[in-house]
Amino acid sequence: MSAGLFNSLIAIFTLGGLAWFLYRPKVQASATYKAMVVPLANIMDVGFIVLSPIIVVLVGYDAPWVMLGLCLLAILMGFAISYNINNYEPLVGKPDKLHRWNSAALWSLVLASVANIAYYALLLMTLVLLPIGDLYSPELASATAAALLAALMVYGFVKGLAKLNDLGNKTTAFNLAAIVAVLVAFAIFNIQRLVGTDFDWPDFNAPNDAETFRKVLGLFALVQGFEASRYLGAYFSTEVRIKTMRSAQYIASIVFVLFVALSLILFATVKVKPDAAAIFTVSSEVSVFLPFLIMAAALGSELSAIVNATESRTDMLAQQVGDRLTKRWTFPLLLVPTILVVLLTDVTSAVALASRVFALYYLLQAYIAGRLAWRAKKWGWVAFFIGLGLAMGAVAVFGIPS
C-alpha cells in the first residue's frame, strides 16, 4: 500500500469516526456542546486552514511560536470578555455611564462583522473559482462574492435567514471532524518523512522584520470569534458561557498551533506563494483525498459562517435601532456596506481590515472591564486590562494585509 493511499484511509476513518460521535443525538442535545460549539465554530472557521499557511510562508520555522502568540493574545482577551459577562451584564437595565461604551462596542462589532462577512464571501468565491485555473482573477472573485451577498440580502429581506442558519449549524460537526482528520493525516505524513533515512530539514528561515510583524498582526481575525459567548445570555447561564468559551479557546489554540507545526515540513519542501491555493498544493503531497476534504469543509464552513454572521448581526442591529427600523431593513443596512468592502478589497485586505476593527471592539471591551475593575479597586485587573487595551490598539494601528 502506498503512503498516499494509507494517509487517505487514515483521514477517511478519522473523519467518519469523529463525525459519527459528534452527530450522535446525545452529543447534539448536550447543553455543554451547544454552548461551546458556537464560539468554537466561530474561532475554528475552516478559513484558518486556508489562511494560516500565510503565517508559515511569512515566518518559516518560527510559525508555531507566532501562531501560539496570536492564540495567547486571544486567550488573554477572553479574560476581559468573561470579566464583563460576570460584572457588566448585571448592570444591564440599570442607569450606568458604561452603557454608552457598551453601545459603542456593539457598533464596532457590527462594523467588524461587515469586514468579516466580506472576508468570508471573498474566501468562499476564491475557493469556488480556483479550479478554473487561468480564468480565475481577484476581480472575478469580488464580483461573484458581491452577487452572492446581494442575493442573500434579498432573500433575508423577503424571508429572513433563520431556516438557512439552522441548516448551516448542522455542518459544524462535520467541519470539526474534517479539521481533525487533516491534522491526523499531516501527523502521519510527518512521521513517514522523519523516519525516512534520506530526510534532511531544508532551509526555511524567513526575515523577521517589522513588515512581517505587521502582516502577522493583520491576521488577528483568524483567532477571534470567542466573543460570541458574550451574547448567548438568553440561552445559557453566566457560568456555562464562561466555561465553554475558555474551553473553545483552548481547543482551538491547540488545533491552530498543531496545524501550523505539522505543516512545516510540507511548506519547507514544497515552495508555494502565500495565497488561498497554498494549502491545496501542499496537502496533495500527503494524500489525493485531502484537498477535496479541505475544499468541502471550507466551502460549507464559509457559507454557513456568512449566513450565521449575517443573521446574528442583523439581530444585534435590530436591537440597536429599536423601533426605527423593522428587522428586514437591517439586511441591507448590514450587507450594502459589506458588498462595497468586497468590491474594493481582496481576501487578505479584508482579513486585515477585520482584524483591525475587531481589535477596536476588543479595546472597548478591555476599557469597560478596566472601568469595572477600577470601581471594585482591583488594581491588578486594572493593570491587566490596560495592557490588553494597548495590545489591541497595536493590532488596530499596525496590522496590514499579508
Side-chain angles (χ1 to χ4, degrees):
M1 181 185 296
S2 67
L5 178 58
F6 178 75
N7 295 339
S8 293
L9 292 175
I10 289 292
I12 291 170
F13 283 127
T14 302
L15 174 67
L18 192 54
W20 170 82
F21 174 78
L22 292 175
Y23 277 112
R24 288 193 308 163
K26 184 178 180 180
V27 174
Q28 292 286 313
S30 167
T32 300
Y33 175 82
K34 289 180 178 179
M36 184 169 66
V37 79
V38 175
L40 188 60
N42 277 273
I43 303 169
M44 284 180 53
D45 169 77
V46 182
F48 92 87
I49 288 186
V50 180
L51 293 174
S52 60
I54 295 175
I55 294 178
V56 181
V57 178
L58 281 175
V59 301
Y61 289 129
D62 292 330
W65 300 108
V66 171
M67 179 60 84
L68 178 61
L70 284 176
C71 291
L72 287 176
L73 182 57
I75 288 172
L76 293 176
M77 191 61 232
F79 282 97
I81 299 296
S82 61
Y83 195 89
N84 289 340
I85 291 175
N86 261 326
N87 298 281
Y88 174 76
E89 289 185 2
L91 301 177
V92 175
K94 303 175 184 178
D96 197 292
K97 293 181 179 179
L98 284 179
H99 295 331
R100 298 177 185 175
W101 292 99
N102 185 62
S103 180
L106 289 176
W107 279 111
S108 67
L109 181 57
V110 171
L111 291 176
S113 299
V114 167
N116 221 31
I117 295 169
Y119 132 57
Y120 290 150
L122 283 167
L123 181 57
L124 173 66
M125 297 317 300
T126 298
L127 295 175
V128 169
L129 297 173
L130 276 176
I132 68 176
D134 293 338
L135 294 177
Y136 166 79
S137 69
E139 293 76 19
L140 180 60
S142 294
T144 52
L148 171 67
L149 292 176
L152 189 68
M153 179 176 65
V154 173
Y155 187 92
F157 185 87
V158 175
K159 292 188 175 182
L161 298 181
K163 291 184 179 179
L164 285 180
N165 195 35
D166 290 341
L167 181 63
N169 286 338
K170 297 183 186 302
T171 67
T172 298
F174 171 79
N175 295 335
L176 296 176
I179 290 169
V180 175
V182 172
L183 285 178
V184 171
F186 276 15
I188 297 299
F189 176 82
N190 275 258
I191 294 172
Q192 292 167 344
R193 295 299 300 269
L194 292 174
V195 299
T197 57
D198 60 342
F199 180 77
D200 186 26
W201 284 94
D203 178 55
F204 192 44
N205 292 310
N208 294 323
D209 53 20
E211 183 178 356
T212 299
F213 178 70
R214 294 186 65 188
K215 288 179 178 179
V216 170
L217 291 181
L219 292 168
F220 179 72
L222 295 182
V223 295
Q224 62 78 33
F226 54 90
E227 75 284 342
S229 296
R230 172 81 168 75
Y231 305 101
L232 297 176
Y235 307 100
F236 305 104
S237 68
T238 295
E239 294 75 15
V240 169
R241 283 184 289 146
I242 291 174
K243 180 181 178 181
T244 53
M245 182 189 74
R246 288 176 177 163
S247 297
Q249 284 192 291
Y250 298 149
I251 292 170
S253 297
I254 291 170
V255 170
F256 283 15
V257 174
L258 280 178
F259 177 79
V260 168
L262 293 174
S263 64
L264 281 178
I265 290 178
L266 282 162
F267 283 99
T269 53
V270 182
K271 302 300 182 182
V272 293
K273 296 179 180 179
D275 57 25
I279 188 61
F280 301 102
T281 302
V282 300
S283 64
S284 64
E285 297 291 314
V286 179
S287 153
V288 294
F289 172 67
L290 278 195
F292 296 99
L293 175 60
I294 293 172
M295 178 67 80
L299 293 179
S301 172
E302 296 312 302
L303 188 56
S304 63
I306 292 170
V307 174
N308 179 275
T310 302
E311 174 70 4
S312 61
R313 297 312 182 237
T314 50
D315 283 341
M316 188 177 293
L317 271 173
Q319 294 175 10
Q320 286 291 95
V321 299
D323 297 329
R324 287 170 286 178
L325 285 176
T326 59
K327 170 68 185 293
R328 57 165 39 188
W329 286 103
T330 61
F331 289 101
L333 186 62
L334 178 72
L335 291 178
V336 167
T338 305
I339 291 171
L340 292 176
V341 173
V342 163
L343 293 174
L344 296 173
T345 63
D346 56 21
V347 173
T348 56
S349 296
V351 174
L353 179 60
S355 297
R356 299 174 80 166
V357 188
F358 266 112
L360 175 61
Y361 163 77
Y362 290 132
L363 189 156
L364 291 170
Q365 290 293 327
Y367 174 78
I368 293 171
R371 286 284 299 271
L372 291 168
W374 183 280
R375 291 177 183 179
K377 297 183 179 180
K378 296 180 179 179
W379 309 121
W381 280 114
V382 171
F384 176 71
F385 294 135
I386 289 174
L388 281 180
L390 292 173
M392 291 300 102
V395 174
V397 173
F398 298 113
I400 60 174
S402 56

